């Protein structure tokens, strides 16, 4: 059974300042990619650990609330408050903070009037919530403004337009905008987006080089941002089967920015695949106690299931399902993919197909198309699944998952030759992809 996964939050809003001197060189070898572990990126400023970062965000939120209280009819205050809640949501994984960000930007937009006011904040929040048509409307509003705030802001809006294109399945258009944004301002925001494009189109080396150059540039060198670069590189190494190297990057991220729950979840899964499952379960439980995060509940459920404890796994997935149901009611686009993974894990195939269709309608890109294909296979329609997955391959998307999913679809169709061929293609990309322990990789494994 395929394990659920969590899409890593890149925490772009928390980074401040531009990364200077980042240039795309020739693709790095693995030896070059792991050289970052032997370097000592210099920390310039910023909170030293997760708890200190939360305290800083809370201070900023308190100031933002004071501004709103002093001028409750001005949209600027609500813009600042909305972004503060979004930053805390991205850091903590809190649904309440994400919901508050959406509510506050809504108030700001009402006060500003149509086509005015907090366009950038509104598009940023809509992108975080996977509401791409709405985000594009705000990007267009910004483009109509007479007064703009400089090159960095223009680069961000180019990058956001690229993000809309990417998650709409227009990879060529996305790359054009990402490159324009990167050339104008090679900030963490543009680095992360451009690296994500290279990752999903199968060019891990260039993605790793982008992260490495960003980490070593000396700009935006907060502990949190440096840890984010290491976390992303570790995830890429994880996806090509370099589990030990990935674990080393995750540990380094935890050293740079201690206490961050998402880094700890990455480490916990590595303990699980290494056979240290008691330690993994203990770490997961501690994270759940701190955050109540349903994705971590799903990861812990996978460990229990791997050990044959179906009762514990079912209990955890039921708890996660309750949380996702509440989130789907308020912010559905943001949680379609998480909830459909859980539905597939629970064997609720009809529900999974319903969610997969909604997810694909909201984001018709490779990942969502693969999820829809998995749901069709689970519902007894592997022919439709195979057709969708062949479209993914033809689009230029390149991932281990598409080959695993195609292998399962062709197996269900009785075409053993094509199924074996796809399995071999998956193994060529990740030699560990067929190991039973791979089902325990819930974070950064996609």
């Amino acid at each position: 059974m395929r394990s659920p996964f969590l899409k890593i939050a890149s925490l772009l809003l928390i980074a401040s300042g531009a990364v200077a001197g980042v240039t795309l060189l020739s693709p790095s070898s693995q030896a070059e990619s792991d050289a970052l572990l032997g370097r000592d990126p210099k920390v310039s400023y910023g909170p030293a650990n997760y708890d200190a970062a939360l305290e800083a965000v809370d201070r900023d939120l308190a100031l933002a609330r004071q501004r709103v209280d002093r001028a409750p009819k001005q949209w600027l205050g609500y813009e600042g408050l909305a972004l503060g809640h979004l930053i805390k949501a991205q850091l903590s994984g809190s649904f309440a903070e994400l919901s508050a960000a959406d509510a506050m930007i809504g108030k700001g937009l009402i006060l500003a009037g149509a086509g005015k006011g907090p366009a950038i904040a509104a598009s940023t929040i809509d992108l975080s919530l996977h509401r791409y048509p709405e985000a594009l409307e705000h990007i267009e509003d910004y483009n109509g403004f007479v007064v703009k705030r400089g090159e960095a802001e223009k680069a961000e809006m180019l990058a956001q337009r690229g993000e809309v294109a990417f998650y709409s399945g227009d990879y060529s258009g996305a790359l054009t905008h990402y490159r324009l944004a990167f050339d104008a301002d090679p900030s963490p925001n543009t680095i992360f987006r451009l690296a994500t494009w290279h990752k999903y189109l199968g060019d891990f080396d260039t993605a790793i080089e982008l992260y490495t150059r960003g980490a070593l540039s000396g700009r935006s060198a907060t502990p949190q941002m440096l840890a984010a670069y290491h976390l992303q590189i570790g995830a890429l190494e994880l996806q090509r089967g370099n589990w030990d190297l990935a674990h080393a990057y995750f540990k380094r991220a935890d050293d740079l920015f201690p206490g961050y729950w998402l880094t700890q979840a990455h480490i916990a899964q590595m303990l699980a695949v290494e056979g240290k499952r008691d330690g993994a379960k203990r770490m997961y439980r501690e994270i759940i106690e701190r955050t109540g995060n349903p994705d971590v509940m799903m990861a812990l459920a996978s460990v229990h299931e791997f050990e044959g404890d179906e009762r514990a796994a079912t209990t955890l997935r039921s708890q996660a399902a309750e949380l996702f149901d509440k989130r789907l009611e308020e912010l559905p686009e943001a949680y379609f993919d998480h909830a459909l993974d859980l539905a597939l894990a629970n064997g609720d195939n009809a529900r999974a197909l319903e969610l997969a269709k909604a997810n694909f309608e909201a984001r018709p890109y490779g990942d969502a198309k693969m999820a829809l294909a998995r749901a069709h296979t689970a519902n007894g329609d592997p022919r439709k699944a195979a057709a969708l997955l062949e479209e993914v391959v033809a689009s230029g998307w390149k991932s281990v998952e598409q080959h695993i999913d195609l292998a399962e679809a062709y197996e269900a169709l009785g075409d053993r030759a094509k199924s074996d061929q796809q399995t071999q293609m998956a193994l060529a990309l990740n030699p560990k992809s067929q190991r039973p322990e791979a089902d325990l990789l819930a974070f950064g494994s996609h």
Side-chain angles (χ1 to χ4, degrees):
M1 186 194 69
R2 180 177 306 282
S3 72
F5 57 86
L6 177 66
K7 296 159 185 65
I8 301 175
S10 56
L11 306 176
L12 302 182
L13 281 173
I14 299 172
S16 60
V19 176
V22 181
T23 56
L24 281 177
L25 304 178
S26 58
S28 61
S29 67
Q30 181 179 326
E32 290 170 325
S33 77
D34 63 13
L36 182 59
L37 290 174
R39 305 289 289 272
D40 185 22
K42 300 302 180 184
V43 174
S44 299
Y45 59 95
N49 55 52
Y50 175 74
D51 289 339
L54 273 180
E55 291 174 3
V57 174
D58 283 337
R59 287 195 297 269
D60 289 343
L61 273 169
L63 289 172
R65 291 189 192 99
Q66 290 177 17
R67 295 186 189 103
V68 169
D69 290 342
R70 286 198 298 267
K73 299 299 183 181
Q74 294 183 10
W75 64 262
L76 275 168
Y78 287 99
E79 177 186 50
L81 190 55
L83 289 175
H85 282 300
L86 180 60
I87 289 171
K88 188 171 182 181
Q90 290 178 316
L91 179 62
S92 66
S94 166
F95 172 72
E97 295 295 334
L98 196 60
S99 176
D102 188 45
M104 292 302 100
I105 200 62
K107 290 184 178 181
L109 288 167
I110 290 171
L111 289 170
K116 301 177 182 177
I120 297 179
S123 62
T124 299
I125 290 169
D126 279 328
L127 289 175
S128 298
L129 297 174
H130 304 168
R131 297 192 303 220
Y132 297 98
E134 293 86 346
L136 186 58
E137 288 182 11
H138 295 303
I139 293 169
E140 297 291 2
D141 288 341
Y142 171 83
N143 288 337
F145 290 173
V146 175
V147 179
K148 298 180 174 66
R149 302 178 190 173
E151 292 304 312
E153 189 174 273
K154 292 177 185 177
E156 172 61 18
M157 301 314 287
L158 278 169
Q160 289 197 9
R161 187 177 287 277
E163 190 168 339
V164 172
F166 182 84
Y167 290 102
S168 299
D170 180 7
Y171 310 131
S172 177
L175 182 59
T176 297
H177 284 94
Y178 286 162
R179 282 178 170 166
L180 287 170
F182 180 88
D183 290 343
D185 180 29
S187 68
N189 289 19
T190 55
I191 287 174
F192 273 78
R193 287 179 171 115
L194 187 55
T196 296
W197 189 96
H198 284 287
K199 163 191 168 181
Y200 282 122
L201 276 293
D203 187 358
F204 280 24
D205 285 338
T206 297
I208 287 171
E209 182 157 353
L210 279 162
Y211 292 133
T212 301
R213 296 285 171 170
L216 296 176
S217 69
R219 297 290 298 276
S220 296
T222 67
Q224 184 175 348
M225 179 68 353
L226 291 172
Y229 284 126
H230 284 74
L231 197 61
Q232 295 287 0
I233 294 173
L236 290 166
E237 296 295 358
L238 188 69
Q239 290 171 50
R240 56 186 180 187
N242 298 326
W243 291 0
D244 290 343
L245 184 55
H247 197 173
Y249 268 106
F250 299 152
K251 286 181 178 178
R252 180 62 175 148
D254 193 46
D255 290 340
L256 287 163
F257 187 61
Y260 182 32
W261 66 272
L262 185 54
T263 302
Q264 292 173 348
H266 281 73
I267 293 172
Q269 73 179 359
M270 302 316 297
L271 295 178
V273 301
E274 292 167 1
K276 303 171 185 175
R277 286 186 283 277
D278 286 343
K281 289 186 290 187
R282 184 165 55 251
M283 286 189 72
Y284 279 144
R285 290 191 196 104
E286 290 171 354
I287 296 169
I288 291 168
E289 289 175 5
R290 291 165 55 200
T291 68
N293 190 291
D295 291 292
V296 182
M297 294 176 186
M298 291 165 65
L300 179 55
S302 294
V303 180
H304 282 295
E305 183 177 59
F306 189 87
E307 295 180 327
D309 190 345
E310 292 291 344
R311 180 177 180 180
T314 299
T315 297
L316 283 160
R317 287 183 178 135
S318 295
Q319 293 171 356
E322 290 180 10
L323 292 171
F324 282 135
D325 285 345
K326 293 177 182 178
R327 298 178 184 202
L328 284 167
E329 290 178 5
E330 187 172 343
L331 302 173
E333 295 92 345
Y335 291 97
F336 282 145
D337 54 349
H338 298 261
L340 77 87
D341 286 334
L342 180 55
L344 285 171
N346 284 336
D348 189 351
N349 296 330
R351 172 67 167 159
L353 183 58
E354 174 189 347
L355 290 166
K357 288 179 178 178
N359 184 52
F360 183 71
E361 183 177 352
R363 300 193 296 168
Y365 78 123
D367 207 36
K369 188 171 283 190
M370 288 191 293
L372 180 57
R374 286 194 290 273
H376 279 303
T377 298
N379 280 275
D381 195 351
R383 192 171 303 280
K384 186 174 290 187
L388 285 167
L389 290 164
E390 292 292 1
E391 290 176 6
V392 172
V393 174
S395 74
W397 197 270
K398 188 175 181 180
S399 67
V400 172
E401 288 76 22
Q402 70 199 49
H403 297 301
I404 293 175
D405 294 339
L406 266 170
E408 292 175 355
Y410 283 129
E411 178 73 20
L413 287 168
D415 193 331
R416 176 56 64 85
K418 284 188 176 180
S419 179
D420 289 346
Q421 180 187 41
Q422 292 297 324
T423 297
Q424 291 306 310
M425 293 176 76
L427 288 168
L429 293 173
N430 181 348
K432 295 188 177 75
S433 61
Q434 299 299 307
R435 292 190 181 184
E437 295 86 353
D439 281 343
L440 299 173
L441 296 174
F443 299 91
S445 60
H446 185 84

